[in-house]
Amino acid sequence: MNLSKQIKRLREAAGFSQEELSEKIYVSRQTISNWENERSYPDIHNLLLLSVLFDVTLDELVKGDVETMKKVIGNDKMNGYGWVMNGTLLLAAVSIGPAWKFLGNVGLLIPFVLWLICMWAAFKVEKIKKDNDVKTYKEIVAYMEGGEVKKLREERSFKRDLLIKTLICLVFVGIFMAIVLLSLWVSGML
């Protein structure tokens, strides 16, 4: 988040008009407007006054609030799509047995639709990962926590990443199949 947007966001969050903020830090209203519209930037003295007034560190003021930045880069969306993906996949696995037992072959449309929703969410997660050049599990964790992803990108190994992805997929499919078989057994279809 750039400084101009950060000043405006903090000013509005504090409930100040440009005029009120200008009076508190001894500058003109036009100066505040110029800062918020990127026509000029505050000097270090004014940055210190703003940080004290808004009760934020200079780092937070200049770089922006970490939580706000996380939302901007999409990790909240990634979390949301991840929950949708895992939840609908679990529901699809659990619903196969009962849907087939009580609704026949037509009932299998229910888990199929849930699976389609899961795939849609998975594609959204992959798009976020691609847009932010995040590939490995460590990179995903660093990205989600606002950590240093650049160093981890340099440590990538194609063979190791392929092996890890393959193992994750195999374990995931194994768990999914176990849940499906359990669902079929509980519903009396096995």
Side-chain angles (χ1 to χ4, degrees):
M1 177 175 287
N2 61 34
L3 182 60
S4 62
K5 290 180 182 171
Q6 185 71 343
I7 292 170
K8 184 174 182 176
R9 184 185 69 80
L10 290 168
R11 177 182 60 78
E12 290 173 347
F16 297 140
S17 66
Q18 287 182 345
E19 184 70 36
E20 291 168 327
L21 178 58
S22 68
E23 291 171 2
K24 292 190 180 295
I25 62 170
Y26 311 106
V27 296
S28 69
R29 188 210 55 80
Q30 187 63 39
T31 301
I32 302 294
S33 177
N34 287 339
W35 293 345
E36 291 182 359
N37 292 306
E38 296 184 336
R39 285 186 224 117
S40 66
Y41 296 95
D43 60 18
I44 189 66
H45 174 73
N46 287 321
L47 285 172
L48 287 169
L49 289 172
L50 289 168
S51 71
V52 169
L53 182 64
F54 295 136
D55 193 30
V56 295
T57 65
L58 273 176
D59 197 41
E60 289 172 324
L61 179 63
V62 174
K63 291 183 179 178
D65 183 33
V66 173
E67 291 305 312
T68 303
M69 290 176 74
K70 283 182 181 181
K71 289 178 184 172
V72 169
I73 59 176
N75 73 345
D76 285 347
K77 286 184 179 179
M78 192 166 168
N79 273 340
Y81 289 132
W83 280 103
V84 169
M85 181 179 69
N86 291 324
T88 54
L89 188 62
L90 180 64
L91 285 172
V94 170
S95 68
I96 287 177
W100 197 12
K101 180 176 183 173
F102 296 112
L103 301 173
N105 289 341
V106 174
L108 292 176
L109 285 174
I110 295 169
F112 180 72
V113 168
L114 290 169
W115 177 80
L116 287 176
I117 295 169
C118 170
M119 290 297 102
W120 168 81
F123 282 116
K124 291 291 194 177
V125 167
E126 288 303 314
K127 182 175 180 346
I128 293 170
K129 286 169 52 180
K130 182 180 178 188
D131 290 346
N132 293 285
D133 193 25
V134 175
K135 293 183 181 175
T136 67
Y137 180 73
K138 285 182 181 178
E139 289 176 27
I140 293 169
V141 170
Y143 169 77
M144 297 297 283
E145 294 177 352
E148 186 64 38
V149 178
K150 189 175 181 180
K151 278 193 228 174
L152 295 171
R153 284 186 188 128
E154 295 167 0
E155 297 173 5
R156 287 182 188 162
S157 164
F158 176 76
K159 289 179 182 179
R160 186 185 68 217
D161 293 346
L162 182 63
L163 177 65
I164 290 171
K165 285 180 183 179
T166 304
L167 288 173
I168 288 171
C169 286
L170 289 173
V171 169
F172 195 74
V173 167
I175 292 170
F176 179 79
M177 290 307 296
I179 293 170
V180 168
L181 290 172
L182 182 64
S183 170
L184 290 170
W185 180 71
V186 168
S187 62
M189 296 302 289
L190 279 183

